[in-house]
């Protein structure tokens, strides 16, 4: 039985609640406000949705009629590690300069490492960490950012002054009034914004802790009180709202929250997996070396991209870390092909890799490439030589880094930085934002292996920092979100988008670690083995003439010019019929009438929702896809966003939006925000259709034959582990399983399929004897996308629309799941068959329309080289238990009569 995760009590945060209500209210005088264009143009990184929302909430707090009389001076942004708090700070600086006329910004933090990082982030255009465009331009005016020690008395126009200081130095300056420092009166001269990073350190007097830290909080309060218009904006991923004193201080100051679990769920981080084993430290070192080098080689071999995966060895004590560093160097120097081979044999005998997909993939790579082992060892010795290792433990000053270490640690992604390994104890828990950290290894060669709760919490925080996503340039695009979550081939996800934490197999330590991860709301799990299953062609099939000389046919495509996309229907989007949105409810204190969604909506009815431009504009402002500069990428003929409302595009005046709701829900029950969310559901679905429909290829009626021998092959596939959190509400899942299929008419030895597909296969194979009465060759071919996952052949084996005037245009193409191959002395027939869940029939209707068009318009089809005796046809979708009579249709097409008898399932 799974252990129930501890859930912290939800605390009331009145300011956030008020801002959320305001954001949903049509009485909001700032309705429709979106991120200013000057911010989009001057930031290196585009704001993500949650960052834009945080900025919008701040905007409300400063200018909305609701708040303008309150003079809100002190706010806190509670946002996950790695979620881009510094990007938000940089954006707020520009916003407050332009909109609120602030020029003086004081950045404070607890540690020098964070301070040095932020100097690069905000003031050093030569750094690859700099967050602004090299030439700042706000509404046609060049803006200069100047780093200062003291805010000048006479201030230049078009200049932003930034003072960066540790909180310790700040407190000293405030209370000792030393020469060339800023005392209280300096902060009263010109209005100042204080930006406090890692803000959980600044409430010591609130918590009644150390005297030295009491002055930090008092110093900040002194600056804030120096002028009515001084502002304090704090940022932290960690705030203990369970502490009553902290809650009392911040309950009405927290302006935005974005939790770590939501950050990971949204795909902006790496996944986090734990690998635990009984290996010694030295064995773990060699294991992670091989894994890290496999990551580098895999990215290069499969995706043609260079990455430099970094390993961090984490110890509890400096002596242990330094000893581990020496052992690591000795291991690299003495490494040989024989050592690696012996290690792989031992790992197999200990069954280490049987529990881990990642280690299994890595170790098998080296076994397969054994003939290249000498070259592999040579490259490992180069990649992990002592001059590519950084040890940050030699300095006894806690929290300090030696000269040059900061620069090296914060430029690990740079091609000029060769470091692959970091040895550390406690200096990297805050302020370290390396993106290409993929492995953290806990060294166990010290006393106290079990690890107390304080230690495991620090390790959990380090894991949270290491989970930052490494934006990879794959398939021609750079992605800042995970790309492989829904890919049944897990290796790319595990190797390129997962942080692995390698730990000792010690029960109490693991219990404490998992508890610490839970307390942080950091979703993670053990790297469990989900083995690749080989699906092989039957030998009996590969010895046939069909295998040697047979072909399968798909239609040829031609390029589509942008001028084609002059209306929304060209993208396969219905813009003529009324819009119907299935509305679901959750339990909230918003007057919702029902929290149960009826699976088939038989007890529901439709309520019309009026679409006006104000509502539509607000919904589009909340969705980045519909910001005009992005919309224009997919709709090249669109002249303005307002034109998007017209008849040939969204056609809002010619259609009605209906929401499907429970029977006891009436139109008067809708609150404005619910209407907005329903419209957003429709717009999000439309955005996906536009993206899919913006293809550069369209189908023709010419069919090309592809040699079976070259295109039908053995392949490997994993049985997907579906995440129930991602299941569509109201849809019953069909688990995918592997089925051994002995019937010789099925060309593979097995099939990895769901129950609907299994029913289809069974029904066809039980009719093989009837097919043999009219055909010499009868074969059922499973067309699995995994056959050519990394190959252009996967694109060739797709059907594309070629109807003259289809009701809806879809250019993306699709690959039907099965082909029934039938051949006699007179002709060859290829039947496309697509099984489909009942819930997807309507959504994918265009695919069925294409299959039936092929069937009904045989005379239009032409074939390469004018080959004769070929018939290409398709069936209606097959649904569970053949509820639509697909098998009857197959019998009429292939045998010109019904099947014999009646099959019951």
């Amino acid at each position: 039985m799974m252990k129930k995760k501890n859930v912290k009590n939800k605390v009331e945060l009145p300011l956030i609640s008020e801002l959320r209500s305001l954001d949903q209210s049509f009485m909001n005088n700032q309705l429709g406000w979106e991120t200013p264009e000057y911010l989009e143009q001057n930031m290196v990184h585009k704001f993500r949705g949650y960052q834009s929302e945080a900025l919008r909430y701040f905007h409300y707090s400063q200018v909305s009629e609701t708040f303008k009389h309150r003079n809100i001076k002190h706010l806190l942004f509670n946002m996950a590690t790695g979620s881009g708090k510094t990007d938000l700070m940089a954006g707020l600086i520009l916003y407050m300069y332009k909109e609120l006329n602030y020029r003086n910004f004081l950045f404070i933090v607890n540690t020098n490492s964070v301070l040095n990082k932020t100097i690069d982030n905000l003031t050093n255009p030569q750094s690859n960490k700099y967050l602004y465009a090299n030439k700042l331009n706000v509404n046609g005016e060049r803006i200069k950012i100047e780093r200062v020690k003291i805010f000048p008395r006479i201030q230049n126009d078009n200049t932003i002054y930034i003072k960066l200081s540790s909180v310790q130095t700040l407190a000293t300056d405030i209370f000792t009034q030393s020469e060339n420092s800023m005392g209280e009166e300096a902060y009263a001269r010109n209005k100042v914004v204080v930006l406090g990073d890692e803000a959980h350190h600044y409430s010591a007097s609130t918590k009644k802790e150390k005297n030295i830290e009491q002055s930090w909080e008092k110093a900040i309060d002194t600056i804030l009180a120096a002028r009515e218009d001084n502002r304090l904006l704090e940022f932290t991923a960690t705030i203990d709202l369970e502490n009553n004193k902290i809650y009392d201080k911040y309950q009405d100051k927290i302006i935005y929250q974005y939790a770590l679990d939501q950050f990971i769920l949204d795909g902006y981080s790496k996944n986090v997996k734990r690998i635990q084993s009984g290996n010694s430290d030295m064995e773990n070192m060699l294991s992670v070396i091989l894994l890290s080098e496999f990551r580098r080689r895999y990215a290069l071999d499969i995706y043609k991209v260079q990455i430099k995966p970094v390993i961090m060895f984490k110890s509890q004590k400096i002596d242990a870390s330094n000893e581990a560093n020496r052992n690591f160097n000795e291991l690299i120097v003495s490494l040989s092909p024989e050592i690696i081979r012996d290690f792989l044999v031992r790992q197999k005998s200990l069954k280490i890799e049987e529990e881990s997909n990642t280690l299994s993939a890595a170790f098998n790579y080296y076994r397969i490439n054994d003939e290249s082992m000498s070259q592999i060892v040579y490259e490992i010795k180069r990649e992990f030589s002592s001059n590519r290792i950084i040890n940050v433990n030699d300095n006894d000053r806690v929290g300090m880094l030696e000269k040059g270490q900061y620069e090296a640690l914060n430029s690990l992604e740079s091609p000029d930085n060769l470091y692959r390994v970091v040895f550390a104890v406690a200096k990297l828990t805050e302020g370290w934002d390396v993106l290409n950290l993929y492995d953290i290894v806990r060294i166990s060669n010290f006393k106290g292996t079990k690890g107390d709760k304080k230690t495991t919490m620090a390790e959990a925080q380090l894991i949270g920092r290491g989970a930052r996503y490494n934006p990879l340039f794959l398939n021609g695009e750079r992605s800042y979100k995970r790309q492989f979550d829904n890919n049944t081939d897990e290796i790319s996800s595990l190797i390129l988008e997962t942080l692995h934490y390698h730990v000792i197999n010690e029960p109490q330590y693991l219990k404490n670690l998992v508890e610490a991860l839970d307390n942080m709301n950091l979703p993670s799990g053990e790297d469990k083995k989900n083995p690749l299953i080989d699906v092989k062609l039957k030998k009996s099939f590969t010895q046939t003439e069909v295998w040697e000389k047979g072909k399968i046919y798909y239609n040829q495509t031609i390029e589509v010019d942008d001028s084609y996309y002059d209306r929304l229907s060209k993208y396969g989007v219905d813009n003529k019929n009324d819009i119907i949105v299935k509305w679901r409810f959750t339990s909230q204190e918003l007057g919702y009438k029902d929290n149960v969604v009826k699976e088939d909506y038989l007890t529901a009815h439709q309520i019309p929702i009026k679409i006006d431009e104000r509502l539509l504009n607000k919904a589009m402002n909340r969705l980045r896809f519909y910001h005009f500069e992005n919309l224009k990428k997919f709709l090249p003929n669109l002249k303005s966003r307002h034109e998007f409302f017209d008849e040939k595009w969204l056609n809002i005046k010619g259609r009605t939006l209906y929401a499907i709701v429970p029977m006891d829900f009436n139109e008067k029950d809708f609150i404005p925000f619910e209407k907005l969310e329903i419209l957003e559901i429709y717009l999000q679905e439309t955005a996906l259709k536009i993206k899919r429909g913006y293809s550069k290829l369209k189908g023709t009626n010419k069919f090309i034959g592809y040699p079976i021998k070259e295109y039908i092959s053995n392949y490997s596939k994993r049985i997907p582990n579906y995440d129930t959190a991602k299941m569509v509400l109201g849809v019953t899942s069909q688990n995918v399983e592997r089925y051994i299929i002995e019937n010789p008419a099925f060309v593979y030895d097995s099939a990895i399929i769901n129950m609907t597909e299994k029913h289809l296969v069974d029904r066809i194979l039980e009719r093989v004897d009837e097919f043999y009465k009219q055909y010499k060759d009868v074969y059922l071919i499973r067309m699995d996308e995994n056959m050519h996952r990394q190959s252009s052949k996967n694109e060739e084996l797709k059907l594309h629309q070629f109807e003259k005037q289809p009701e809806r245009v879809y250019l993306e193409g699709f690959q039907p799941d099965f082909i029934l191959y039938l051949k006699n002395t007179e002709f060859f027939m290829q039947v496309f068959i697509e099984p489909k869940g009942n819930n997807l029939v309507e959504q994918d209707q265009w695919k069925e329309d294409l299959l039936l068009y092929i069937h009904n318009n045989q005379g239009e089809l032409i074939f390469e080289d004018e080959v004769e005796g070929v018939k290409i046809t398709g069936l209606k979708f097959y649904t569970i238990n053949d509820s639509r009579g697909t098998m009857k249709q197959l019998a009429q097409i292939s045998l010109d009569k019904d099947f014999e008898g009646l099959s019951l399932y």
Side-chain angles (χ1 to χ4, degrees):
M1 179 179 292
M2 290 182 62
K3 178 183 175 183
K4 186 174 181 181
K5 183 176 177 177
N6 292 328
V7 179
K8 293 182 179 179
N9 294 328
K10 187 174 181 180
V11 295
E12 295 295 326
L13 299 173
L15 180 59
I16 287 184
S17 297
E18 194 171 6
L19 285 163
R20 284 175 181 159
S21 296
L22 184 64
D23 196 40
Q24 299 163 9
S25 171
F26 285 89
M27 302 304 292
N28 178 6
N29 66 310
Q30 296 295 319
L31 182 71
W33 187 87
E34 59 181 297
T35 304
E37 188 175 349
Y38 65 81
L39 280 182
E40 299 284 1
Q41 292 174 344
N42 286 297
M43 300 292 296
V44 170
H45 304 134
K46 283 192 174 296
F47 286 129
R48 297 165 180 169
Y50 60 87
Q51 292 168 325
S52 293
E53 187 172 59
L55 184 63
R56 187 167 72 249
Y57 281 17
F58 178 75
H59 171 77
Y60 293 158
S61 75
Q62 301 301 302
V63 305
S64 173
E65 294 288 342
T66 306
F67 296 102
K68 69 177 185 179
H69 300 300
R70 297 192 202 174
N71 189 30
I72 295 181
K73 301 182 60 169
H74 181 187
L75 295 167
L76 182 138
F77 296 83
N78 179 203
M79 299 171 69
T81 295
S83 62
K85 294 188 293 294
T86 315
D87 280 295
L88 180 59
M89 286 184 214
L92 285 166
I93 288 172
L94 282 188
Y95 169 86
M96 296 187 78
Y97 165 81
K98 174 64 177 66
E99 308 294 339
L100 305 176
N101 200 31
Y102 283 85
R103 295 185 181 183
N104 302 290
F105 296 85
L106 168 64
F107 177 90
I108 56 172
V109 75
N110 179 44
T111 62
N112 284 333
S113 60
V114 179
L115 183 65
N116 290 331
K117 178 195 74 170
T118 310
I119 290 171
D120 281 350
N121 288 153
L122 300 179
T123 67
N124 182 9
Q126 281 69 50
S127 171
N128 62 358
K129 300 284 187 179
Y130 190 57
L131 296 177
Y132 294 120
N134 281 331
K135 295 181 179 180
L136 280 173
N137 187 309
V138 176
N139 294 351
E141 295 184 348
R142 286 289 301 276
I143 305 300
K144 179 182 178 182
I145 291 182
E146 186 174 329
R147 181 185 170 196
V148 297
K149 291 185 178 179
I150 299 175
F151 295 127
R153 290 177 177 271
I154 300 175
Q155 302 198 336
N156 296 324
D157 292 338
N158 301 337
T159 302
I160 295 173
Y161 299 99
I162 299 182
K163 173 180 170 63
L164 299 106
S165 172
S166 69
V167 68
Q168 297 92 331
T169 301
L170 178 76
T172 300
D173 288 348
I174 290 291
F175 297 120
T176 63
Q177 298 290 307
S178 59
E179 188 177 355
N180 295 323
S181 66
M182 291 185 64
E184 180 179 358
E185 75 286 349
Y187 293 101
R189 189 178 304 123
N190 296 301
K191 62 182 182 179
V192 175
V193 179
V194 182
L195 303 167
D197 199 9
E198 308 294 353
H200 50 283
H201 292 294
Y202 309 143
S203 296
S205 60
T206 296
K207 294 182 288 186
K208 297 184 179 179
E209 292 179 359
K210 303 175 186 175
N211 290 332
I212 185 64
E213 292 187 346
Q214 290 180 17
S215 64
W216 298 356
E217 190 170 12
K218 184 178 179 182
I220 295 169
D221 289 343
T222 298
I223 295 172
L224 189 60
R227 283 178 63 114
E228 275 295 301
D229 49 5
N230 281 356
R231 297 285 183 264
L232 170 60
L233 307 182
E234 294 187 282
F235 302 80
T236 184
T238 308
I239 182 167
D240 184 13
L241 294 175
E242 301 288 315
N243 182 310
N244 289 334
K245 293 184 179 297
I246 298 294
Y247 174 73
D248 289 342
K249 176 180 178 178
Y250 283 107
Q251 61 168 316
D252 59 350
K253 297 179 178 66
I254 297 178
I255 187 171
Y256 196 76
Q257 284 188 311
Y258 187 62
L260 182 59
D261 56 349
Q262 188 64 47
F263 179 59
I264 292 178
L265 184 64
D266 287 345
Y268 289 114
S269 75
K270 302 185 190 85
N271 281 308
V272 177
K273 297 289 183 185
R274 187 175 69 253
I275 296 178
Q276 55 199 55
S277 75
N279 276 337
S280 66
D281 282 339
M282 291 296 286
E283 287 172 321
N284 268 347
M285 281 184 179
L286 183 50
S287 175
V288 78
I289 288 167
L290 294 178
L291 173 55
S292 183
E293 188 63 0
F294 173 58
R295 289 187 201 276
R296 184 182 72 84
R297 288 167 166 261
Y298 181 86
L300 188 60
D301 292 348
I302 302 302
Y303 295 102
K304 312 304 178 190
V305 295
Q306 293 274 4
I307 67 169
K308 187 193 65 176
V310 170
I311 305 169
M312 179 180 177
F313 289 98
K314 178 73 167 66
S315 301
Q316 192 166 328
K317 296 183 178 179
I318 290 177
D319 289 346
S321 184
N322 291 337
E323 180 185 349
N325 192 170
R326 290 190 294 271
N327 291 338
F328 184 90
N329 290 341
E330 292 173 5
L331 173 62
I332 297 300
V333 169
S334 63
L335 194 65
S336 67
E338 290 71 27
I339 288 176
I340 292 179
R341 292 185 183 111
D342 290 345
F343 171 79
L344 294 176
V345 170
R346 174 170 167 75
Q347 297 301 288
K348 201 171 191 71
S349 66
L350 293 175
K351 300 182 178 180
I352 296 295
E353 59 196 282
E354 285 191 7
E355 295 300 320
S356 166
N357 263 340
T358 309
L359 293 184
S360 177
F363 294 168
N364 283 334
Y365 171 84
Y366 294 104
R367 293 187 182 105
I368 292 170
N369 292 279
D370 184 76
E371 72 280 357
S372 304
M373 193 63 76
S374 295
Q375 178 64 25
I376 289 171
V377 170
Y378 171 80
E379 292 185 16
I380 288 175
K381 286 176 176 285
R382 178 195 67 203
E383 292 289 320
F384 296 97
S385 59
S386 58
N387 64 345
R388 298 193 181 192
I389 298 170
I390 184 167
N391 186 311
V392 295
N393 298 311
D394 295 332
N395 190 341
D396 291 333
R397 291 172 294 167
V398 176
M400 301 290 286
L401 293 172
E402 291 287 358
K403 184 178 180 180
Q405 286 184 336
Y406 158 75
E407 291 81 2
L409 287 169
N410 281 281
S411 63
L412 283 170
E413 305 99 9
S414 170
D416 298 328
N417 183 317
L418 299 181
Y419 288 115
R420 287 286 300 271
V421 179
V422 178
F423 283 88
V425 173
K427 294 178 183 177
L428 302 174
T429 54
E430 286 184 356
W432 196 38
D433 63 353
V434 65
L435 305 179
N436 56 335
L437 178 66
Y438 282 94
D439 295 283
I440 300 175
V441 186
R442 188 181 195 265
I443 297 298
S444 62
N445 57 353
F446 53 80
K447 294 180 181 179
T449 292
K450 293 182 179 180
D452 56 26
K453 291 189 176 181
K454 181 179 179 181
T455 300
T456 50
M457 178 55 75
E459 292 178 9
Q461 291 170 343
L462 176 62
I463 293 170
R465 291 197 163 275
R468 294 168 187 253
Y469 188 73
N470 188 18
L472 298 169
F473 191 78
L474 302 178
N475 301 320
E477 294 184 0
R478 187 170 299 281
S479 174
Y480 292 86
K481 292 182 72 173
R482 294 195 303 272
Q483 301 181 62
F484 302 106
D485 276 3
N486 297 317
N487 193 330
T488 54
D489 179 3
E490 294 176 275
I491 295 303
S492 293
S493 174
L494 287 169
I495 297 303
L496 300 178
E497 297 185 333
T498 298
L499 170 74
H500 283 96
Y501 192 61
H502 305 255
V503 299
I504 55 174
N505 201 358
E506 206 290 320
Q508 185 58 47
Y509 164 75
L510 291 173
K511 178 178 179 293
N512 289 343
L513 177 64
V514 171
E515 189 174 300
L517 293 169
D518 283 349
N519 287 338
M520 287 179 59
N521 289 325
L522 200 163
S524 65
E526 193 175 348
D527 183 0
K528 289 286 190 180
K529 187 68 177 285
N530 182 15
L532 276 171
I533 296 174
D534 293 329
V535 180
K536 296 181 178 180
L537 289 163
K538 290 173 181 167
K539 188 174 181 180
S540 59
F541 176 65
T542 60
Q543 294 176 341
T544 64
E545 186 179 15
V546 172
W547 164 257
E548 288 291 340
K549 299 181 180 180
K551 294 182 178 181
I552 50 175
Y553 287 82
Y554 291 83
N555 60 328
Q556 192 176 46
T557 56
I558 58 175
E559 289 192 6
V560 179
D561 189 81
D562 274 349
S563 61
Y564 170 82
Y565 293 99
D566 61 354
R567 61 192 64 245
L568 209 54
S569 59
K570 297 288 185 69
Y571 295 81
V573 179
D574 177 12
N575 66 345
K576 297 187 182 301
N577 295 309
D578 289 335
I579 304 162
I580 298 176
V581 174
K582 294 179 179 177
W583 178 236
R584 306 184 185 104
F585 293 85
T586 55
S587 293
Q588 296 184 15
E589 296 178 2
L590 294 172
Y592 287 171
K593 300 287 277 190
D594 198 337
N595 65 350
V596 177
V597 178
K598 304 303 187 294
E599 188 168 312
D600 56 5
Y601 291 90
L602 292 176
T603 58
H605 68 138
Q606 296 181 2
I607 292 180
I609 295 177
K610 182 181 178 182
I611 306 175
D612 57 45
E613 288 196 16
R614 185 175 64 161
L615 182 69
L616 190 57
N617 270 312
K618 184 167 180 64
M620 292 172 68
N621 287 343
R622 291 161 63 94
L623 300 172
R624 178 172 292 277
F625 177 84
Y626 290 98
H627 293 185
F628 183 70
E629 67 276 10
N630 185 71
L631 199 59
K632 184 74 173 173
K633 296 176 185 176
F634 295 94
L635 282 66
N637 293 300
L638 187 67
K639 295 181 177 61
S640 68
R641 197 171 85 162
H642 183 74
E643 186 192 20
F644 189 60
F645 304 156
D646 291 352
E647 182 180 358
K648 68 177 183 178
W649 297 106
L650 208 57
N651 191 20
I652 60 169
K653 293 181 180 178
R655 301 194 289 164
T656 302
L657 172 64
Y658 290 94
I660 298 180
V661 298
M663 290 299 296
D664 60 347
F665 194 94
N666 300 309
E667 185 175 3
K668 62 181 177 59
D669 295 316
F670 273 119
I671 61 174
F673 184 62
E674 292 171 341
K675 295 180 180 180
L676 182 67
E677 285 197 333
I678 290 169
L679 184 53
E680 282 187 20
I681 290 173
Y682 165 68
L683 288 174
Q684 287 171 334
E685 292 174 350
T686 301
L688 291 174
K689 291 175 182 178
I690 291 173
K691 289 178 183 178
R692 287 198 299 261
Y694 187 51
S695 170
K696 292 297 185 179
L697 299 174
K698 67 178 180 180
T700 68
N701 64 337
K702 183 178 181 179
F703 278 71
I704 305 297
Y706 298 97
I708 287 177
K709 189 173 183 178
E710 296 179 17
Y711 284 80
I712 305 300
S713 60
N714 298 336
Y715 63 93
S716 298
K717 184 175 181 176
R718 289 185 169 85
I719 297 176
N721 295 322
Y722 289 114
D723 181 355
T724 55
K726 297 178 182 178
M727 294 294 184
V728 178
L729 193 61
V731 175
T732 303
S733 170
Q734 294 192 62
N735 290 332
V736 175
E737 301 288 348
R738 184 194 189 193
Y739 299 95
I740 303 298
I741 301 175
E742 296 180 352
N743 192 311
F746 193 80
V747 302
Y748 287 103
D749 61 359
S750 59
I752 300 175
I753 50 182
N754 63 29
M755 188 53 64
T756 299
E757 293 165 333
K758 175 64 163 54
H759 278 205
L760 171 64
V761 171
D762 288 343
R763 288 180 181 244
I764 291 176
L765 294 182
E766 74 173 7
R767 300 297 182 179
V768 167
D769 289 341
E770 294 179 59
F771 287 126
Y772 277 138
K773 292 177 182 179
Q774 294 191 29
Y775 298 96
K776 174 188 174 184
D777 297 307
V778 179
Y779 292 107
L780 182 62
I781 306 171
R782 165 70 162 153
M783 301 301 299
D784 197 298
E785 62 182 10
N786 285 271
M787 283 193 294
H788 305 295
R789 182 174 293 280
Q790 307 298 340
S791 169
S792 61
K793 292 180 179 180
N794 199 41
E795 287 301 312
E796 293 171 349
L797 301 189
K798 283 188 177 181
L799 284 178
H800 292 78
Q801 272 187 341
F802 63 97
E803 301 103 307
K804 292 179 179 177
Q805 288 184 324
E807 183 177 347
R808 300 182 190 175
V809 178
Y810 296 85
L811 298 184
E812 68 254 38
F814 82 105
Q815 184 185 80
D817 288 339
F818 293 91
I819 286 177
L820 180 61
Y821 184 104
L822 303 170
K823 185 178 181 181
N824 58 26
T825 56
E826 297 178 5
F827 63 88
F828 148 66
M829 178 181 289
Q830 175 180 311
V831 186
F832 288 113
I833 311 173
E834 174 80 354
K836 190 67 62 179
N838 285 312
N839 59 299
L840 297 175
V841 169
E842 182 179 350
Q843 174 183 315
D844 289 342
Q845 185 61 49
W846 72 272
K847 298 178 182 179
E848 183 178 69
D849 291 343
L850 176 55
L851 294 176
L852 296 180
Y853 185 87
I854 293 172
H855 169 63
N856 294 324
N857 295 274
Q858 295 288 315
E860 290 187 18
L861 310 187
I862 60 175
F863 298 93
E864 62 172 344
D865 302 326
E866 298 182 354
V867 64
E868 297 182 356
V870 175
K871 294 183 179 181
I872 308 296
T873 190
L875 304 179
K876 65 178 76 172
F877 288 153
Y878 177 90
T879 54
I880 194 73
N881 294 323
D882 196 19
S883 59
R884 306 170 83 236
T886 307
M887 289 298 294
K888 181 178 180 67
Q889 184 191 17
L890 174 60
Q892 291 296 327
I893 288 173
S894 59
L895 303 178
D896 200 25
K897 63 177 183 179
D898 289 340
F899 286 125
E900 300 170 2
L902 179 65
S903 176
L904 296 176
Y905 283 83

